[in-house]
Amino acid sequence: MKRFVVTSKGDDKSNAIKTILDQYLSDFDLIMDEETPDLVITVGGDGTFLHAVHQYFHRLEDTAFIGVHTGHLGFYADWLPDEIEKLVIEISKEKFELVEYPLLEVKVFKKHAKEYKRYLALNEATVRKIEGSVVMDININGELFERFRGDGLCMSTPSGSTAYNKALGGAIIHPSLSTMQLTEMSSINNRVYRTIGSPLIFPSHHVVQFKPVNEAQSFLMTIDHLTKSVDHVNLLECTVAKEKIKFARFRTFPFWKRVHDSFISDER
Ligand code: NAP
């Protein structure tokens, strides 16, 4: 017996589709379970999907996700509202195929704290400042690579490569590749400060550290849609997480077709 939960963006259209999905799935003898769902169905957009994934990050091992979009086509939310009957029939079948995408792990080491804080991101982690520049040394596998000075830094997952990363000039990466990508936000480049300027793509066994030059300085750290103000940080450490997110797949919708339909045209 499968347990499910449907989350909604909260607008009238998404709420109405959630109500229909709750009813259809219950009619097929699936059990509504907010605490321990096997399947999380989101109704809204990619933003709604991100919120739901963070709500159920503690159940990554046991939970699969699927997204219905009520606005434009999403990268995570790629089912149309008029496909939900078909979707419910597929969900009610004995088994479904799972596709896994990589996640980003960020560890934040603070100056006086005994333990580090660990975060997982589905799209990306960024560091920025409200005022002034971010000044951080970037270490790759324990070696100083460069001193960055500029608006900020973004480390994205492959599935997040179509989000903020793309706006920063990063490459779009197929989510079957276990990588993370570093992009710069307006780096200062002159005779004093020099950065590579190009996006960097790292394999899963590499460790990238951001080391604030002035530890007392506060900055903003984002993990997907969440923003935190942090200070007295010794080190931020990024790696490809050992955990992956599972998507329930009931039909083929190749990644490059989603990229085409989202950014080029949805008419062929
Ligand atoms: P938001 O500012 O309300 O929306 C950000 C937009 O990014 C929405 O249109 C959202 O799609 C879309 N999006 C989210 N994940 C995506 C993905 N993997 N590929 C392509 N598009 C994606 O913020 P939010 O809804 O809370 O989402 C947070 C995300 O916004 C962050 O993770 C970051 O990637 C993105 N962001 C982008 C920029 C930029 O491009 N300049 C700046 C800041 C943040 P839906 O409309 O379907 O929800």
Side-chain angles (χ1 to χ4, degrees):
M1 194 71 74
K2 289 188 201 108
R3 288 158 298 160
F4 73 93
V5 68
V6 183
T7 71
S8 162
K9 185 177 180 181
D11 58 295
D12 290 348
K13 186 175 179 186
S14 304
N15 286 345
I17 288 164
K18 171 180 159 47
T19 306
I20 297 170
L21 272 169
D22 282 340
Q23 187 60 56
Y24 281 2
L25 289 162
S26 302
D27 291 348
F28 274 90
D29 288 338
L30 277 87
I31 299 165
M32 202 188 294
D33 182 346
E34 270 186 37
E35 297 299 316
T36 57
D38 303 311
L39 190 63
V40 174
I41 305 157
T42 68
V43 185
D46 284 339
T48 319
F49 192 93
L50 285 175
H51 280 78
V53 169
H54 278 260
Q55 197 180 336
Y56 291 100
F57 255 153
H58 61 288
R59 283 190 51 82
L60 280 178
E61 191 61 37
D62 304 303
T63 301
F65 296 84
I66 191 150
V68 177
H69 66 87
T70 49
H72 57 92
L73 169 69
F75 275 86
Y76 304 119
D78 58 8
W79 281 79
L80 280 163
D82 61 15
E83 293 177 306
I84 59 173
E85 279 183 38
K86 184 176 165 227
L87 179 62
V88 170
I89 292 166
E90 290 297 330
I91 291 172
S92 67
K93 288 180 184 166
E94 196 53 30
K95 281 204 162 172
F96 43 81
E97 195 187 333
L98 294 174
V99 182
E100 292 188 330
Y101 282 5
L103 297 167
L104 175 72
E105 174 188 277
V106 183
K107 288 180 187 162
V108 181
F109 297 83
K110 281 202 150 200
K111 204 169 180 188
H112 300 295
K114 283 193 185 133
E115 291 181 351
Y116 59 81
K117 281 205 168 182
R118 181 177 185 263
Y119 301 94
L120 289 177
L122 175 59
N123 269 352
E124 77 284 291
T126 70
V127 288
R128 279 183 282 147
K129 273 176 72 79
I130 302 172
E131 277 181 4
S133 305
V134 167
V135 189
M136 291 195 185
D137 284 340
I138 298 178
N139 300 329
I140 302 178
N141 300 329
E143 298 270 341
L144 176 66
F145 181 75
E146 65 183 17
R147 177 163 290 185
F148 174 88
R149 191 181 185 105
D151 283 359
L153 292 161
C154 172
M155 187 68 90
S156 75
T157 64
S159 61
S161 67
T162 49
Y164 203 171
N165 167 78
K166 184 174 182 297
L168 296 171
I172 296 182
I173 298 195
H174 195 281
S176 62
L177 299 168
S178 257
T179 62
M180 57 182 181
Q181 176 171 196
L182 178 63
T183 44
E184 300 177 351
M185 299 175 197
S186 306
S187 55
I188 299 172
N189 269 290
N190 52 34
R191 278 185 295 176
V192 184
Y193 297 105
R194 174 107 354 248
T195 62
I196 191 77
S198 315
L200 302 178
I201 299 169
F202 300 95
S204 57
H205 61 288
H206 283 195
V207 179
V208 178
Q209 296 170 329
F210 304 156
K211 193 165 173 37
V213 171
N214 175 359
E215 288 170 357
Q217 269 195 354
S218 63
F219 58 88
L220 297 177
M221 180 177 84
T222 68
I223 301 286
D224 297 334
H225 55 289
L226 305 167
T227 305
K228 299 166 200 302
S229 178
V230 284
D231 53 29
H232 294 97
V233 170
N234 267 345
L235 205 65
L236 284 152
E237 190 169 279
C238 301
T239 48
V240 176
K242 59 180 186 309
E243 297 95 332
K244 291 198 168 203
I245 181 171
K246 296 182 179 68
F247 294 86
R249 187 157 83 177
F250 303 108
R251 54 147 154 75
T252 51
F253 192 170
F255 178 72
W256 296 119
K257 176 150 175 57
R258 261 177 289 159
V259 172
H260 173 276
D261 291 358
S262 294
F263 295 118
I264 310 283
S265 155
D266 58 2
E267 290 163 18
R268 284 232 206 212

